[in-house]
Amino acid sequence: MKDQIHRVASKDGHNNVKIDNVEGMIKLFLHDIWTTVVDMKWRYKITLFASTFVMTWFVFGVVFYLIGLRNGDFDADQSSNHTACVMNVETLTGAYLFSLETQTTIGYGFRHISEECPLAILALVVQLVFTGLAEIFVTGAFLAKLARPKKRAETIKFSQSAVVCKRGGAWCLMVRVANMRNSLLIQCQLSGKLLSPYVTQEGEKTLIHQASLDFNLDCSDECPFLLMPLTFCHLLDDSSPLAGLTAANLPTREFELLVTLNGTMESTAATCQSRTSYVPQEILWGYEFKPVLFNTPGGKLAADFNFFDKVQMCDEPSTVQNNSEKLQLEEKYRQE
């Protein structure tokens, strides 16, 4: 039975690090209440959105009911010259409906406030100011979550496996990335972090040591846009944190490769980030990605995602042993 693979990040880029035993966690979250509300899950956010309206209607309904109770509006033996604070409100339900009408600005008709009750007027002003701010906050957080670039990042696809094969005579680690939308991502940069156990010269053991890996497009330094599925390469030279990696020792190595794509959305100019991770079991040595782009009869390129995660063995050209053999092959080719 294989040991469970421990990841810092899941394949879909979510954080797998659990934060525990933090003193005053609730206090810290309340200090940054905006981020807390924006990061809420949808079921909690919808509940908060609905309860903000319902609770403020009820709370101020109780306030208006208590004001009427203090003013004697509900007494059976009222004098003929008695003026109620809120007209036609005789129960808590009526006060709740008046609060609802006030906050939703659908009044005033049957129920309305009296000019002779300053306390009720003050409560009305406080309700409009307080609930206006609360609604702006909750509605803004609701819209901010809808417009977060995080949702755009979910339409960026990484290959399930990384491959290692030769490019330009050197071994390269390659990852395939694709944009699943027609809208472009520009100024894309792919970077990697190698996470592995490490022992310092002083003998200190660290569970996770981070080292940076540079990925380029087809071994170039250009900053591309994701118009089609692209393959990013990391050169396994002496300066690479993966120097010394071979097909033999790859299965025994202990590391996690966290790959991050940063891009700018062409439509909004907002930046988004998408992540994935690879462990040694997901890195295939001596393989390359199968072609994913094909010509169509209409003169367009088609990206067939049935081949996106497909790999094949690298085709290594035959090695010519000496110059004389090379010349013989060239001469034979000319004669043909």
Side-chain angles (χ1 to χ4, degrees):
M1 182 177 179
K2 291 185 178 180
D3 295 335
Q4 183 179 4
I5 299 175
H6 296 280
R7 293 180 183 269
V8 173
S10 60
K11 290 296 289 183
D12 56 2
H14 288 91
N15 184 13
N16 277 344
V17 179
K18 180 182 178 181
I19 301 176
D20 201 1
N21 298 324
V22 179
E23 185 177 354
M25 174 70 78
I26 296 178
K27 185 178 180 181
L28 293 174
F29 276 40
L30 291 178
H31 280 175
D32 188 12
I33 186 65
W34 172 257
T35 304
T36 301
V37 174
V38 172
D39 287 342
M40 277 183 178
K41 294 183 179 179
W42 276 112
R43 55 181 178 269
Y44 301 133
K45 189 179 294 294
I46 293 174
T47 301
L48 176 65
F49 185 80
S51 61
T52 298
F53 289 94
V54 176
M55 289 304 297
T56 52
W57 295 339
F58 177 76
V59 168
F60 283 96
V62 172
V63 171
F64 286 115
Y65 179 78
L66 294 176
I67 291 175
L69 191 65
R70 178 180 179 274
N71 195 46
D73 297 344
F74 311 135
D75 295 340
D77 55 344
Q78 293 179 357
S79 60
S80 59
N81 60 352
H82 177 80
T83 303
C85 285
V86 183
M87 307 301 293
N88 301 314
V89 171
E90 299 177 355
T91 62
L92 180 59
T93 303
Y96 175 81
L97 292 175
F98 171 75
S99 175
L100 186 152
E101 293 170 6
T102 298
Q103 193 167 328
T104 55
T105 65
I106 61 176
Y108 296 95
F110 181 69
R111 300 178 184 86
H112 58 89
I113 202 165
S114 172
E115 298 177 359
E116 300 181 9
C117 191
L119 187 59
I121 296 174
L122 178 62
L124 177 65
V125 173
V126 171
Q127 179 183 10
L128 294 178
V129 173
F130 176 80
T131 57
L133 294 175
E135 290 172 13
I136 290 172
F137 179 85
V138 176
T139 305
F142 196 91
L143 295 176
K145 190 173 182 67
L146 284 173
R148 291 180 76 181
K150 180 179 179 181
K151 296 301 179 183
R152 179 64 177 88
E154 292 179 357
T155 57
I156 299 172
K157 182 177 176 65
F158 291 91
S159 57
Q160 287 294 318
S161 302
V163 298
V164 178
C165 66
K166 281 194 174 183
R167 285 291 182 272
W171 289 103
C172 292
L173 173 68
M174 295 187 291
V175 176
R176 179 178 275 176
V177 186
N179 175 23
M180 308 297 290
R181 286 184 176 272
N182 289 329
S183 58
L184 294 182
L185 282 175
I186 59 177
Q187 298 179 351
C188 296
Q189 292 182 337
L190 194 75
S191 60
K193 288 289 184 182
L194 186 68
L195 311 177
S196 59
Y198 182 74
V199 180
T200 64
Q201 294 181 355
E202 294 76 18
E204 180 184 358
K205 296 181 179 179
T206 58
L207 184 61
I208 295 178
H209 176 263
Q210 298 188 31
S212 297
L213 278 76
D214 295 327
F215 281 88
N216 298 314
L217 177 63
D218 299 328
C219 298
S220 66
D221 295 328
E222 295 182 358
C223 190
F225 55 88
L226 276 182
L227 179 63
M228 63 190 75
L230 299 177
T231 301
F232 289 83
C233 303
H234 169 72
L235 186 61
L236 297 177
D237 56 9
D238 293 337
S239 61
S240 171
L242 288 172
L245 187 68
T246 63
N249 63 22
L250 175 60
T252 62
R253 293 286 295 268
E254 185 179 355
F255 65 83
E256 178 182 356
L257 177 60
L258 182 61
V259 178
T260 303
L261 178 76
N262 294 289
T264 302
M265 292 183 287
E266 185 186 37
S267 55
T268 63
T271 58
C272 67
Q273 185 180 93
S274 185
R275 294 178 298 273
T276 191
S277 74
Y278 300 96
V279 293
Q281 293 84 348
E282 296 168 341
I283 300 177
L284 306 178
W285 191 283
Y287 286 81
E288 62 184 359
F289 292 113
K290 285 188 175 181
V292 72
L293 293 175
F294 302 95
N295 291 317
T296 63
K300 294 183 178 181
L301 283 175
D304 189 346
F305 279 86
N306 288 327
F307 296 91
F308 185 81
D309 291 315
K310 299 292 182 63
V311 297
Q312 61 188 8
M313 293 287 293
C314 293
D315 294 329
E316 301 227 6
S318 302
T319 307
V320 181
Q321 299 296 331
N322 49 55
N323 291 334
S324 59
E325 184 178 352
K326 180 180 180 180
L327 292 174
Q328 291 176 4
L329 290 173
E330 291 179 351
E331 183 65 24
K332 182 179 179 181
Y333 175 76
R334 293 192 190 96
Q335 293 175 358
E336 292 177 353

